[in-house]
Amino acid sequence: VQLVESGGGLVQAGGSLRLSCAASGVFSINAMGWYRQTPGKERELVASITSDGVTNYGDSVKGRFTMSRDNGKNTASLQMNSLKPEDTAVYYCNADARESLMWHERAYWGQGTQVTVSS
């Protein structure tokens, strides 16, 4: 299973970015999520979405970020609006997935994409 993120970059405060995550080599995907991490801090949940489309957001991004997914394409997106300097982090895509019917479900991670918000 491989997760590939894209869409990170540099944006001014108040701006928007859209992150995408594409999964390959999967048999099935359960929940997907976006996490972020800054140096010296633990990785934190930004948003998650179930296979049925139920979303959950971290308190700091509620009302500003929206996560969606396309089950047919094995992709997920994170629309980030009203970005703040404190949103600066490496963002990681996560998926609870199975490689095949014979494999147990486990968590997979992408390589991360940098988001930098300037003040």
Side-chain angles (χ1 to χ4, degrees):
V1 175
Q2 186 175 22
L3 302 179
V4 178
E5 302 105 333
S6 60
L10 174 65
V11 64
Q12 288 189 331
S16 299
L17 280 175
R18 186 177 181 86
L19 304 183
S20 296
C21 174
S24 60
V26 295
F27 171 76
S28 64
I29 302 176
N30 196 348
M32 300 186 74
W34 286 97
Y35 290 73
R36 65 187 183 188
Q37 190 171 24
T38 55
K41 293 188 177 181
E42 291 188 357
R43 195 169 293 187
E44 66 170 352
L45 174 70
V46 176
S48 65
I49 187 168
T50 69
S51 56
D52 294 333
V54 177
T55 53
N56 179 52
Y57 296 96
D59 288 341
S60 62
V61 306
K62 284 180 180 177
R64 300 188 297 122
F65 291 10
T66 302
M67 184 173 183
S68 60
R69 66 188 286 176
D70 184 329
N71 290 337
K73 296 182 178 179
N74 290 332
T75 59
S77 297
L78 184 68
Q79 178 64 42
M80 306 185 294
N81 298 329
S82 302
L83 283 161
K84 304 175 182 180
E86 50 264 43
D87 294 318
T88 296
V90 177
Y91 284 70
Y92 296 91
C93 177
N94 164 268
D96 294 330
R98 299 171 71 178
E99 290 188 37
S100 72
L101 184 62
M102 303 301 294
W103 287 77
H104 293 294
E105 181 179 291
R106 71 172 186 90
Y108 292 89
W109 294 89
Q111 80 288 350
T113 185
Q114 177 71 46
V115 171
T116 302
V117 184
S118 63
S119 58

